[in-house]
Amino acid sequence: MKKLWITCTLSLITFGMSLQAQTVEEILTNYFENTGGLENWQQLEGIHGYGKGRQGGQEFPGQMVQLKNGKQMQKYSVQGKEFFQGVFDGETLWSTNFLNMKAEKSSSEETANFKLEANDFPDSFLNWKEKGYTVELMGTESMEGTDTYKIKLVKEPVTVDGEQVDDISFYYFDTENYVPIAMETEIKSGPAKGKTVKVVMSDYQEVDGLYFAFSTTQYLGEQPMLSIQMDSLQLNPKVDDSLFAFPETITEGDEK
């Protein structure tokens, strides 16, 4: 029994030392290597995905597009009505108003912050040094029942109510596969300001040599808010620019 206890203790010590020996750059290098290779990620030009969302017990089909040039779009169909979220044509950010189902442009501040986010395609950690970001290994932590490396990511400041604030998030990388299984960040404005949003990623699948999390669930505190399950992903799609264009309405006086 004493020998077994000593063996177990040494195993735990060795495991702990192996975790501490990892540097943040080694973790990120392993991450990109295990998910398809850094060069292949750098060559990715776009993603077009189809799947289903679930919120408040209701399931609805949807699709998303993300392109390297910053253009993005999410479209969902609920009870026969289509609505758009986070559509960005490179200059204008807009979404569908849930109450009147009309397209509305976002504020200049929201648009400026979104442009910063658009620079992160396809991954915030890709070329992080060139983007001026900082990363820090905070140690190890259990997340969703899994041993993880906790990494702090500090990006360019965002603007909130006219003032610049730090853009900080925490990622949790599985210590076995070196893939992120969760991300946490603090809400900076609105009714939920100060609360923590957590996104849990799972069901990693290979698409043309790259690995993506096909399942994501967003939590506000401990409350699940939105879950998305991808059915398929197409890489480097050909997408018409009209998909991102704000639908300009024609008033009666403009009609000919």
Side-chain angles (χ1 to χ4, degrees):
M1 178 64 72
K2 183 176 181 181
K3 183 178 180 180
L4 176 61
W5 182 85
I6 294 175
T7 302
C8 291
T9 301
L10 289 174
S11 298
L12 289 173
I13 293 174
T14 302
F15 177 70
M17 290 177 63
S18 67
L19 294 184
Q20 294 174 5
Q22 293 286 334
T23 68
V24 67
E25 293 198 32
E26 288 172 339
I27 294 168
L28 295 178
T29 296
N30 286 329
Y31 163 47
F32 286 114
E33 187 64 33
N34 289 354
T35 56
L38 182 62
E39 183 176 351
N40 292 328
W41 280 109
Q42 291 173 330
Q43 293 176 353
L44 184 62
E45 295 293 328
I47 304 170
H48 192 172
Y50 293 86
K52 300 180 183 67
R54 177 178 290 275
Q55 188 172 34
Q58 186 175 33
E59 187 175 88
F60 42 88
Q63 61 174 301
M64 56 76 75
V65 176
Q66 290 182 313
L67 302 181
K68 193 172 186 176
N69 61 15
K71 297 180 180 181
Q72 300 186 33
M73 182 277 294
Q74 296 179 55
K75 181 172 71 173
Y76 300 99
S77 178
V78 179
Q79 297 178 347
K81 296 182 178 181
E82 289 187 339
F83 65 93
F84 294 80
Q85 291 294 298
V87 186
F88 185 58
D89 65 1
E91 291 297 331
T92 300
L93 174 65
W94 63 275
S95 298
T96 302
N97 185 304
F98 289 106
L99 298 179
N100 58 28
M101 296 303 294
K102 293 183 179 180
E104 292 185 351
K105 295 181 181 180
S106 301
S107 68
S108 58
E109 188 171 277
E110 291 172 326
T111 303
N113 290 335
F114 195 88
K115 284 183 178 181
L116 297 179
E117 291 293 332
N119 292 333
D120 281 351
F121 177 88
D123 190 287
S124 296
F125 291 100
L126 188 65
N127 301 324
W128 60 271
K129 287 184 179 179
E130 290 82 347
K131 291 185 286 192
Y133 297 171
T134 60
V135 296
E136 179 183 357
L137 178 59
M138 307 299 292
T140 59
E141 189 170 318
S142 178
M143 173 62 71
E144 299 295 310
T146 300
D147 291 325
T148 68
Y149 298 108
K150 182 177 180 179
I151 294 180
K152 178 181 179 180
L153 172 66
V154 182
K155 304 196 296 184
E156 297 171 274
V158 294
T159 304
V160 179
D161 298 329
E163 297 183 1
Q164 286 196 330
V165 298
D166 292 334
D167 188 1
I168 300 173
S169 52
F170 297 91
Y171 285 78
Y172 298 82
F173 284 75
D174 178 354
T175 58
E176 181 177 357
N177 300 304
Y178 295 93
V179 296
I181 63 170
M183 183 275 286
E184 292 179 331
T185 190
E186 184 179 294
I187 298 176
K188 299 174 179 62
S189 62
K193 181 178 180 179
K195 293 186 178 181
T196 297
V197 170
K198 178 172 70 173
V199 179
V200 175
M201 297 86 85
S202 61
D203 189 22
Y204 276 84
Q205 297 184 34
E206 183 265 335
V207 180
D208 296 340
L210 296 176
Y211 284 82
F212 299 85
F214 268 55
S215 179
T216 59
T217 301
Q218 185 182 94
Y219 294 82
L220 181 59
E222 299 299 322
Q223 180 68 31
M225 302 299 292
L226 174 65
S227 296
I228 296 177
Q229 179 66 48
M230 302 306 301
D231 295 324
S232 64
L233 287 179
Q234 177 189 359
L235 305 188
N236 303 319
K238 293 183 178 180
V239 181
D240 194 294
D241 282 345
S242 62
L243 189 64
F244 311 99
F246 181 79
E248 301 288 354
T249 58
I250 300 176
T251 65
E252 185 175 347
D254 294 328
E255 293 180 352
K256 296 181 179 180

